[in-house]
Amino acid sequence: MKFIHTADWHLGKLVHGIYMTEDQRFILNQFVSLVEEEKPDAVVIAGDLYDRSVPPTEAVELLDEVLFKINVELNIPVVAISGNHDSAERLSFGSSWYRNSQFYLAGKLSKELLPVSIKGVNFYLVPYAEPGIVRQLFDDDTIHTHQDAMKTIIDQIEKNINSHEPNVFVGHAFVLGGATSDSERTLSVGGSGCVSVDLFEPFSYTALGHLHSPDAIKHQSVKYSGSLMKYSFSEAKQKKSVSIIEIDEKGQFDIRYRSLSPRNDMRELEGTLEQLLDPGVYQHEKVDDYLKVTLLDEGALLDPIGKLRQVYPNVLHLERKIHLTDQKKKHQLEIIKEHKKSELELFEKFYKDITTLEFTEDKRKVISEVIGKVLKEEVAK
Amino acid sequence: MKFIHTADWHLGKLVHGIYMTEDQRFILNQFVSLVEEEKPDAVVIAGDLYDRSVPPTEAVELLDEVLFKINVELNIPVVAISGNHDSAERLSFGSSWYRNSQFYLAGKLSKELLPVSIKGVNFYLVPYAEPGIVRQLFDDDTIHTHQDAMKTIIDQIEKNINSHEPNVFVGHAFVLGGATSDSERTLSVGGSGCVSVDLFEPFSYTALGHLHSPDAIKHQSVKYSGSLMKYSFSEAKQKKSVSIIEIDEKGQFDIRYRSLSPRNDMRELEGTLEQLLDPGVYQHEKVDDYLKVTLLDEGALLDPIGKLRQVYPNVLHLERKIHLTDQKKKHQLEIIKEHKKSELELFEKFYKDITTLEFTEDKRKVISEVIGKVLKEEVAK
């Protein structure tokens, strides 16, 4: 039995004020082609279909369109849950009808937790739920953390699980631990929102959503698929993919990753303005990408964002790099006391504090002239 | 062929700051029982399922529940369109799946306008659309008013209509005209938002939503079902019902009305505070009803709303009745000039201006004492 594991579509997301809907449509068309090619027995979407509880109407239309193609036109079962970004209630609307065509959508957590069976594989659908919701649902006052809540849910599942069959957990949570990371340490760093990986031991495969990279956890059977696209510059270096799982009747599985190519990538660029505007530098680059630019120039620049956008239309963020050593930070505090120094001396100190460069004789001459001119005008008033 | 015509459910509505969801659940349970009893071949809902484009989640859950009971549990086809209060795009989500179980939901207007056929009757689903949307859809710059838009839509329908079969138009619009009303007059009063009734001539029956009373139009075949419940005190005297239509293969039909009983009625009460708080008066009344109370008392009352709510918990609006004749309004202006009169004379004038009662010697004595006391305290300060 073969299924595709994906998550964190975040339809309707704004990135630095730009709606990603057209980029999402592009990547989802690619995803649909991939599904058509792979012909899986199911597509699993582990939460955060939308980016917010009331998504823009374009996102609603896009999700409807994509799911219809996969589920009705390609006739492939779909298993989906809501994530913390979705509204459980709004996403649930109509889900009773969808089951007719094997589109299993769990918006709200239910107490029964019975699996959906597709070609001999049992899928346990566990939508994201705050501990308070789980406490109320199971009428258990001892549930306070996400760890407590998930344990209760999995205990409930274990009451009826058939461990001789392949069982897949579909969830949306912040899971920590695993073979290569020090779980004690990460658990204490991660805080109360996280769940430890060993809870998922009863399952042959755990299909997670929430963290946007498959590298977020290293574990034999508990996996994040990652998002379809990069959604922040902190993800700029991640590779995005979907996971293809082939699982046998004993729950043994193989996993493959297929990457997707975004319409515009999300990248970081660094250099001086002159370098970045040099055709020799950018002619081989995809200038349409969403960029975070870090300028290395020193001194004032006239309208750098305007100039950059003539070459790179989608600069989303511009920074300038200033190195501050600890030693310099200390000096900055001292500057407050420097009331009796001349303007030139003050400037020299300021220049040394915020740059790593030398205050050369040339520079001193330029600034000295400027100061002289300004002071003369002051006196003339 | 028998169908039920209803409209304007307005789920999620707030009336005077109170969510009507529980009242709506009550009336919809009654509606479901009625459907169960009547066993129609279809239920038609002519728009405004929700009260707003993003309804509260309770309303979303209620609609899901009710439609599931009717369509899936009772296995009765449902024909529904969006109204001006609904979001066409949000309501559309999932509609492709619903068709499998004969739940035909038209959220967005489509250019094709092909009918849905149920037991030999053709239903033309025309969701509410602004003229601008219709102008764009049909690429016709001459469309400016609702009348233009509806004419274009109906012309389009007429291209393929089979007039030998029963044809039902399902729409959400402000339709004016009809046998007993002076259409010229009402059209000019109604403004540009309205559509004239004769456009619907090609249809055996026109099932409308938008106006909340079946009496909003008097026409042989163009009908409003009215809302299920009263949604403002201006509807306090309306009777609410759903329409049961039995239509034959020639398009001839019989119509019956079945009324619904709300959990709490919406009524207007008038009287003095003393009368309204008299157990002899209210003991035979449903004191839980949503009330607009008009108090006829003269003079000051201490916390009338608090006292009323001890008997009538759901007083939503309180008014006091003051009769001002034109003559008195004129006098009110004159009072501004009355600077030199005594306090007692000023009060007497004020009293006569805002009441229809005589300023008797008894009243003069009381107010004179009050004024004397106040003035004495002023001097003492």
Side-chain angles (χ1 to χ4, degrees):
Chain A
M1 191 273 183
K2 170 159 120 178
F3 65 91
I4 295 181
H5 169 198
T6 175
D8 298 284
W9 290 7
H10 287 277
L11 301 190
K13 190 168 179 70
L14 273 164
V15 176
H16 290 267
I18 293 189
Y19 269 111
M20 288 286 124
T21 313
E22 278 319 300
D23 295 84
Q24 293 174 322
R25 183 179 294 280
F26 182 92
I27 208 95
L28 282 169
N29 283 342
Q30 219 172 100
F31 178 70
V32 170
S33 304
L34 186 155
V35 170
E36 212 167 344
E37 216 179 292
E38 290 281 351
K39 294 185 183 50
D41 299 301
V43 168
V44 173
I45 316 168
D48 284 357
L49 285 78
Y50 292 126
D51 191 58
R52 42 192 150 132
S53 61
V54 180
T57 54
E58 294 74 24
V60 174
E61 294 182 296
L62 178 57
L63 185 64
D64 185 68
E65 215 176 293
V66 168
L67 293 178
F68 186 75
K69 275 186 199 158
I70 296 173
N71 180 241
V72 180
E73 294 182 6
L74 301 178
N75 198 21
I76 293 171
V78 173
V79 170
I81 59 170
S82 66
N84 56 316
H85 281 253
D86 300 304
S87 158
E89 295 84 3
R90 292 182 202 284
L91 202 60
S92 292
F93 187 94
S95 47
S96 318
W97 282 269
Y98 306 148
R99 299 179 75 91
N100 277 337
S101 55
Q102 290 199 285
F103 169 18
Y104 304 99
L105 175 61
K108 289 173 77 173
L109 184 67
S110 81
K111 211 179 154 180
E112 289 69 32
L113 291 160
L114 297 176
V116 164
S117 208
I118 301 172
K119 288 214 169 179
V121 177
N122 306 315
F123 290 90
Y124 289 88
L125 280 63
V126 179
Y128 176 83
E130 294 287 339
I133 300 282
V134 182
R135 180 166 61 237
Q136 213 180 351
L137 191 66
F138 287 91
D139 197 15
D140 178 351
D141 282 347
T142 68
I143 297 172
H144 295 291
T145 62
H146 278 273
Q147 175 78 7
D148 301 339
M150 192 60 91
K151 192 172 178 322
T152 306
I153 289 168
I154 293 177
D155 285 350
Q156 175 67 22
I157 290 176
E158 282 200 273
K159 287 182 188 162
N160 300 302
I161 205 167
N162 181 342
S163 56
H164 301 295
E165 291 179 352
N167 295 302
V168 174
F169 183 96
V170 182
H172 191 91
F174 183 10
V175 178
L176 282 178
T180 64
S181 77
D182 177 346
S183 69
E184 289 306 311
R185 184 184 59 80
T186 44
L187 268 171
S188 65
V189 172
S192 70
C194 60
V195 165
S196 76
V197 74
D198 36 277
L199 285 183
F200 302 95
E201 197 272 325
F203 303 97
S204 322
Y205 181 88
T206 294
L208 292 173
H210 193 47
L211 302 182
H212 287 192
S213 164
D215 298 327
I217 198 166
K218 296 275 183 227
H219 188 276
Q220 164 59 21
S221 64
V222 179
K223 308 277 189 186
Y224 284 100
S225 64
S227 56
L228 292 177
M229 289 173 47
K230 300 174 185 174
Y231 284 127
S232 88
F233 286 107
S234 67
E235 301 176 24
K237 292 191 175 63
Q238 295 177 4
K239 276 205 72 174
K240 297 299 182 181
S241 59
V242 297
S243 310
I244 323 268
I245 292 97
E246 301 196 52
I247 191 164
D248 68 18
E249 62 279 4
K250 287 180 182 149
Q252 299 293 314
F253 65 89
D254 282 329
I255 185 165
R256 274 185 297 130
Y257 303 95
R258 287 196 59 176
S259 60
L260 299 164
S261 309
R263 186 173 74 145
N264 300 327
D265 198 6
M266 203 162 208
R267 293 190 290 123
E268 295 182 327
L269 266 189
E270 201 176 275
T272 63
L273 191 57
E274 201 184 337
Q275 287 165 346
L276 299 180
L277 298 180
D278 178 356
V281 169
Y282 66 72
Q283 64 183 347
H284 301 297
E285 292 211 42
K286 218 176 138 294
V287 291
D288 282 344
D289 284 348
Y290 295 119
L291 298 176
K292 173 182 169 182
V293 174
T294 305
L295 288 179
L296 301 178
D297 301 81
E298 73 174 284
L301 292 171
L302 197 65
D303 188 22
I305 189 94
K307 286 175 183 158
L308 284 166
R309 282 193 176 146
Q310 285 179 5
V311 173
Y312 311 94
N314 293 320
V315 174
L316 298 187
H317 187 78
L318 179 64
E319 270 185 19
R320 301 194 55 180
K321 204 169 203 169
I322 295 167
H323 290 292
L324 284 184
T325 62
D326 282 351
Q327 190 56 25
K328 286 197 171 162
K329 281 181 192 151
K330 209 169 143 197
H331 283 168
Q332 273 192 317
L333 292 172
E334 286 169 7
I335 212 166
I336 299 164
K337 303 172 197 158
E338 311 278 336
H339 287 301
K340 296 188 178 163
K341 292 195 174 169
S342 73
E343 283 80 5
L344 186 63
E345 283 170 301
L346 281 170
F347 184 81
E348 182 174 355
K349 191 156 181 43
F350 169 67
Y351 187 85
K352 284 179 177 166
D353 283 333
I354 67 156
T355 76
T356 52
L357 301 157
E358 219 190 327
F359 193 56
T360 58
E361 221 28 65
D362 282 1
K363 290 174 186 171
R364 182 185 302 275
K365 204 178 149 201
V366 171
I367 201 73
S368 177
E369 275 171 27
V370 171
I371 290 170
K373 207 174 149 196
V374 171
L375 287 179
K376 223 166 88 185
E377 280 173 7
E378 278 291 306
V379 172
K381 270 187 195 164
Chain B
M1 191 273 182
K2 171 159 118 177
F3 65 91
I4 295 182
H5 168 199
T6 175
D8 298 283
W9 288 8
H10 288 276
L11 300 189
K13 191 168 179 71
L14 274 163
V15 176
H16 291 266
I18 292 188
Y19 269 111
M20 289 286 124
T21 314
E22 278 319 299
D23 295 84
Q24 292 175 322
R25 183 178 294 281
F26 182 92
I27 208 96
L28 282 169
N29 283 342
Q30 218 173 100
F31 178 69
V32 169
S33 305
L34 185 155
V35 170
E36 212 168 344
E37 215 180 293
E38 289 281 350
K39 294 183 183 51
D41 299 300
V43 168
V44 174
I45 316 168
D48 284 357
L49 285 78
Y50 292 126
D51 191 55
R52 42 191 150 130
S53 61
V54 180
T57 54
E58 294 74 24
V60 174
E61 294 182 297
L62 178 58
L63 184 64
D64 185 69
E65 214 178 295
V66 168
L67 293 178
F68 186 75
K69 275 187 200 159
I70 296 173
N71 180 240
V72 179
E73 293 183 5
L74 301 178
N75 197 22
I76 292 171
V78 172
V79 171
I81 60 170
S82 65
N84 56 315
H85 282 252
D86 300 304
S87 157
E89 294 84 4
R90 292 182 201 285
L91 201 62
S92 291
F93 187 94
S95 48
S96 318
W97 282 270
Y98 306 148
R99 299 178 74 91
N100 278 337
S101 56
Q102 290 200 287
F103 169 19
Y104 305 99
L105 174 61
K108 289 173 77 173
L109 185 66
S110 80
K111 209 178 157 182
E112 289 68 33
L113 291 160
L114 297 176
V116 163
S117 208
I118 301 172
K119 289 217 169 177
V121 176
N122 306 314
F123 290 90
Y124 289 88
L125 279 63
V126 180
Y128 177 83
E130 293 286 340
I133 301 281
V134 182
R135 182 165 60 236
Q136 214 179 351
L137 191 66
F138 287 90
D139 195 16
D140 178 351
D141 282 347
T142 67
I143 297 172
H144 295 291
T145 63
H146 279 272
Q147 174 78 8
D148 301 339
M150 192 59 91
K151 192 172 178 321
T152 305
I153 290 168
I154 293 176
D155 285 350
Q156 176 66 23
I157 291 176
E158 282 200 272
K159 288 181 188 163
N160 300 303
I161 206 168
N162 180 343
S163 57
H164 300 294
E165 290 179 353
N167 296 301
V168 173
F169 184 97
V170 181
H172 191 90
F174 184 11
V175 178
L176 281 178
T180 63
S181 75
D182 178 345
S183 68
E184 289 304 311
R185 184 183 57 79
T186 44
L187 268 171
S188 65
V189 172
S192 69
C194 61
V195 164
S196 77
V197 74
D198 35 278
L199 285 184
F200 302 95
E201 197 272 325
F203 303 98
S204 321
Y205 182 88
T206 295
L208 292 173
H210 192 48
L211 302 182
H212 287 192
S213 164
D215 297 327
I217 198 166
K218 296 277 184 225
H219 188 275
Q220 164 59 21
S221 65
V222 180
K223 308 278 188 185
Y224 284 101
S225 64
S227 56
L228 292 177
M229 290 172 45
K230 298 173 187 176
Y231 284 126
S232 87
F233 287 107
S234 68
E235 301 177 23
K237 291 190 176 66
Q238 295 176 4
K239 276 205 71 173
K240 297 300 182 181
S241 60
V242 296
S243 310
I244 325 269
I245 293 98
E246 302 198 50
I247 191 165
D248 67 19
E249 62 279 4
K250 286 179 182 152
Q252 300 293 314
F253 66 88
D254 281 330
I255 185 165
R256 273 184 299 130
Y257 303 94
R258 286 195 60 176
S259 60
L260 299 163
S261 309
R263 185 174 75 145
N264 300 326
D265 199 5
M266 203 164 209
R267 291 189 292 123
E268 295 183 327
L269 267 188
E270 202 176 276
T272 63
L273 190 57
E274 201 185 335
Q275 287 165 345
L276 298 180
L277 298 179
D278 178 355
V281 169
Y282 67 71
Q283 66 182 348
H284 301 298
E285 292 209 40
K286 223 179 135 289
V287 290
D288 283 344
D289 284 347
Y290 295 119
L291 298 176
K292 173 182 169 183
V293 175
T294 306
L295 287 178
L296 302 178
D297 302 81
E298 71 172 283
L301 293 170
L302 198 65
D303 188 23
I305 190 92
K307 287 178 181 155
L308 282 167
R309 283 194 175 144
Q310 286 180 4
V311 174
Y312 310 94
N314 293 319
V315 173
L316 299 187
H317 187 79
L318 179 65
E319 271 185 18
R320 300 195 54 181
K321 207 169 202 167
I322 294 167
H323 290 291
L324 285 184
T325 61
D326 282 352
Q327 190 56 25
K328 285 197 171 162
K329 281 181 191 150
K330 210 169 143 197
H331 283 167
Q332 273 192 316
L333 292 173
E334 282 170 19
I335 212 167
I336 299 163
K337 301 171 197 158
E338 311 277 338
H339 287 300
K340 294 188 179 164
K341 292 194 173 170
S342 72
E343 284 80 1
L344 186 62
E345 283 170 303
L346 281 171
F347 184 81
E348 181 175 355
K349 193 156 180 42
F350 170 67
Y351 187 85
K352 285 178 177 167
D353 283 334
I354 67 155
T355 76
T356 51
L357 300 157
E358 221 190 325
F359 193 55
T360 59
E361 221 27 65
D362 282 1
K363 291 174 185 171
R364 183 185 301 272
K365 205 177 148 199
V366 171
I367 201 72
S368 178
E369 276 171 25
V370 171
I371 290 171
K373 208 173 149 195
V374 171
L375 287 180
K376 224 165 86 185
E377 280 172 6
E378 279 290 307
V379 172
K381 272 187 194 164

